[in-house]
Amino acid sequence: MALNFTDVNLTGDYAAPYLVKALTGFETAQTGNIFIKDKSKKVENMKRITVDSLIQDYAAEPVSAGNINTTKRQMTMENWNLYFEFNPREYESVLDGDYNYDLLDPSLPQNETSVFISEVLKFHDNYVETATWQSVSAGTAPYDKIDGIIQRLITDSDGDVIQVGTHAVLTSANILAKMLATRDKIPAALELNPKTKFYVSRATWKLYSDAQKAQPNKGVDITKRGELFYDGYEVFPLVGVPNDTIIVAQGSADRGSNFQMNINTKADFAEVKVMPKNNYSDLWFLKMSLAAAVNYGWGSEIVFYHSSNA
């Protein structure tokens, strides 16, 4: 029988004494910047609708005018696994708790297993964060399972992503000018929308923070972090966003978001199977199986500063 752990709570008797590394997790979702569509089919369409030219002069018997257009973006989920085999006896020297010393059927105590599961889930969340933005299906493993947001913007099928030209490597000396150039490209429909945000990498945000402190007047105190706003827009420094990139778009956890991820089920992202490999071996395994796809709705509502626009 498998041990399926969901939302492992490492407290009290189950808090095994391990030092664990701090990982960032799936920040884009955790900060509410992408719509997650649960229970998706293998292939689905992100349906879009536009309406135009419906207004006309008064007539006692008007004629039909204008357009209501429906279009779609296809989202095809791709699968991947996380799989690791281990021998519980290899961890005997560090195990605490109720370890099963039965040589014929060794296993990890529950508190130790909880730590293993928790770290696997954190590792996978960290992977998904980078994959959401930077994966390329024809790229290098492990970031080759899906096409992430950056790749889809580069290969935009509609050809209407708003590009910011004259790309350069970002520095603390030019970051303010490049953010201004990006802001100046924001379309009117997004200018006052509270969901419109700047998305940058952690390194880019540090450059922006340094530039704020270097301003001769009204700069940020060096004892404080830089402001996470630019011209009233929220700035989100996300681990998944590559360096030297600025993206402005509507991002939220609801259907109003321009970014969407389709997944098989949310349970897949919080469940790890742990069980013996077979009846005659001492080996156990950890396994996760997942499927996802990422896309955006309207390229005409995304401003994109990236090296592909040089």
Side-chain angles (χ1 to χ4, degrees), residues 127 130-152 154-155:
Y127 166 79
T130 300
T132 295
W133 292 94
Q134 299 189 43
S135 268
V136 180
S137 59
T140 303
Y143 296 104
D144 60 345
K145 314 310 177 196
I146 60 175
D147 279 329
I149 293 171
I150 299 296
Q151 179 65 10
R152 291 192 177 278
I154 292 172
T155 60

Coordinates of all heavy atoms in Angstrom, one line a residue, residues 127 130-152 154-155:
Y127 N 10.9 24.1 -9.1 CA 11.0 23.8 -10.5 C 9.9 24.4 -11.3 O 10.1 24.9 -12.4 CB 11.1 22.2 -10.6 CG 10.9 21.8 -12.1 CD1 11.9 21.8 -13.0 CD2 9.6 21.4 -12.5 CE1 11.8 21.4 -14.3 CE2 9.4 21.0 -13.8 CZ 10.5 21.0 -14.7 OH 10.3 20.7 -16.0
T130 N 10.3 28.2 -12.2 CA 11.1 28.5 -13.3 C 10.6 28.0 -14.6 O 10.6 28.7 -15.7 CB 12.5 27.9 -13.1 OG1 13.1 28.5 -11.9 CG2 13.5 28.2 -14.2
A131 N 10.0 26.8 -14.6 CA 9.4 26.2 -15.8 C 8.3 27.0 -16.4 O 8.2 27.2 -17.6 CB 9.0 24.8 -15.6
T132 N 7.5 27.6 -15.5 CA 6.4 28.4 -16.0 C 6.8 29.6 -16.9 O 6.1 29.9 -17.8 CB 5.6 29.0 -14.8 OG1 5.0 27.9 -14.0 CG2 4.5 29.9 -15.2
W133 N 7.9 30.2 -16.6 CA 8.4 31.3 -17.3 C 9.5 30.9 -18.4 O 9.4 31.4 -19.5 CB 9.1 32.3 -16.4 CG 8.1 33.0 -15.5 CD1 7.7 32.6 -14.2 CD2 7.3 34.1 -15.8 NE1 6.8 33.5 -13.7 CE2 6.5 34.4 -14.6 CE3 7.2 35.0 -16.9 CZ2 5.6 35.5 -14.6 CZ3 6.2 36.0 -16.9 CH2 5.5 36.3 -15.7
Q134 N 10.4 30.0 -18.1 CA 11.6 29.8 -18.9 C 11.6 28.5 -19.7 O 12.5 28.4 -20.5 CB 12.8 30.0 -18.1 CG 13.0 31.3 -17.4 CD 14.3 31.5 -16.7 OE1 15.3 31.1 -17.3 NE2 14.3 32.0 -15.5
S135 N 10.8 27.6 -19.5 CA 10.9 26.3 -20.2 C 10.7 26.5 -21.7 O 9.9 27.3 -22.1 CB 9.8 25.3 -19.7 OG 10.3 24.5 -18.6
V136 N 11.4 25.6 -22.4 CA 11.3 25.6 -23.9 C 11.2 24.1 -24.3 O 12.1 23.3 -23.9 CB 12.5 26.2 -24.6 CG1 12.4 26.1 -26.1 CG2 12.7 27.7 -24.1
S137 N 10.1 23.7 -24.9 CA 9.8 22.3 -25.2 C 11.0 21.7 -26.0 O 11.2 20.5 -25.9 CB 8.5 22.1 -25.9 OG 8.5 22.9 -27.1
A138 N 11.7 22.5 -26.8 CA 12.8 21.9 -27.6 C 14.1 22.3 -26.9 O 15.2 22.2 -27.6 CB 12.7 22.5 -29.0
G139 N 14.1 22.6 -25.6 CA 15.3 23.1 -24.9 C 16.0 22.0 -24.2 O 16.0 20.8 -24.6
T140 N 16.7 22.3 -23.1 CA 17.5 21.4 -22.4 C 16.8 21.0 -21.1 O 16.2 21.8 -20.4 CB 18.8 22.2 -22.0 OG1 19.5 22.6 -23.2 CG2 19.8 21.2 -21.3
A141 N 16.9 19.7 -20.9 CA 16.3 19.1 -19.7 C 16.9 19.7 -18.4 O 18.1 20.1 -18.4 CB 16.5 17.6 -19.7
P142 N 16.2 19.9 -17.3 CA 14.8 19.4 -17.2 C 13.7 20.5 -17.7 O 12.5 20.2 -17.6 CB 14.7 19.2 -15.7 CG 15.5 20.3 -15.1 CD 16.7 20.4 -16.0
Y143 N 14.2 21.6 -18.1 CA 13.3 22.7 -18.5 C 12.9 22.5 -20.0 O 13.0 23.5 -20.8 CB 13.9 24.0 -18.2 CG 14.1 24.2 -16.7 CD1 15.3 24.2 -16.2 CD2 13.0 24.5 -15.9 CE1 15.5 24.3 -14.8 CE2 13.1 24.6 -14.5 CZ 14.4 24.5 -14.0 OH 14.5 24.7 -12.6
D144 N 12.4 21.4 -20.4 CA 12.0 21.1 -21.7 C 10.7 20.4 -21.8 O 10.3 19.7 -22.8 CB 13.1 20.2 -22.4 CG 13.3 18.9 -21.7 OD1 12.8 18.7 -20.5 OD2 13.9 18.0 -22.3
K145 N 9.9 20.5 -20.7 CA 8.6 19.7 -20.7 C 7.5 20.5 -21.4 O 6.6 20.0 -22.0 CB 8.2 19.4 -19.3 CG 9.3 18.8 -18.4 CD 10.1 17.7 -19.1 CE 11.2 17.2 -18.2 NZ 12.2 16.4 -19.0
I146 N 7.5 21.8 -21.2 CA 6.4 22.7 -21.7 C 7.1 23.9 -22.3 O 8.3 24.2 -22.1 CB 5.4 23.1 -20.7 CG1 6.1 23.9 -19.5 CG2 4.7 21.9 -20.1 CD1 5.2 24.5 -18.5
D147 N 6.3 24.7 -23.1 CA 6.8 26.1 -23.5 C 6.3 27.0 -22.4 O 5.1 27.2 -22.2 CB 6.2 26.4 -24.9 CG 7.1 25.8 -26.0 OD1 8.3 25.6 -25.8 OD2 6.5 25.5 -27.0
G148 N 7.2 27.7 -21.8 CA 6.8 28.7 -20.8 C 6.4 30.0 -21.4 O 6.4 30.2 -22.6
I149 N 6.1 31.0 -20.5 CA 5.6 32.3 -21.0 C 6.5 33.0 -21.9 O 6.1 33.6 -22.9 CB 5.2 33.1 -19.7 CG1 4.0 32.5 -19.0 CG2 4.8 34.5 -20.2 CD1 3.7 33.1 -17.6
I150 N 7.8 33.0 -21.5 CA 8.8 33.7 -22.3 C 8.9 33.2 -23.7 O 8.8 33.9 -24.7 CB 10.2 33.7 -21.6 CG1 10.2 34.3 -20.3 CG2 11.2 34.3 -22.6 CD1 9.9 35.8 -20.3
Q151 N 8.9 31.9 -23.9 CA 9.0 31.3 -25.2 C 7.7 31.5 -26.0 O 7.8 31.8 -27.2 CB 9.2 29.7 -25.0 CG 9.3 29.0 -26.4 CD 10.5 29.3 -27.2 OE1 11.4 30.0 -26.8 NE2 10.5 28.9 -28.5
R152 N 6.6 31.5 -25.3 CA 5.4 31.8 -26.1 C 5.3 33.3 -26.5 O 4.8 33.6 -27.6 CB 4.2 31.4 -25.2 CG 4.0 29.9 -25.0 CD 2.7 29.6 -24.4 NE 2.5 28.1 -24.3 CZ 2.2 27.3 -25.3 NH1 1.9 27.8 -26.5 NH2 2.0 26.0 -25.1
I154 N 8.0 35.1 -27.3 CA 8.9 35.2 -28.4 C 8.3 34.7 -29.7 O 8.5 35.2 -30.8 CB 10.2 34.4 -28.0 CG1 11.0 35.1 -26.9 CG2 11.1 34.3 -29.3 CD1 12.1 34.3 -26.4
T155 N 7.6 33.6 -29.6 CA 7.0 32.9 -30.8 C 5.5 33.3 -31.0 O 4.7 32.5 -31.5 CB 7.1 31.4 -30.7 OG1 6.5 30.9 -29.5 CG2 8.6 31.0 -30.7

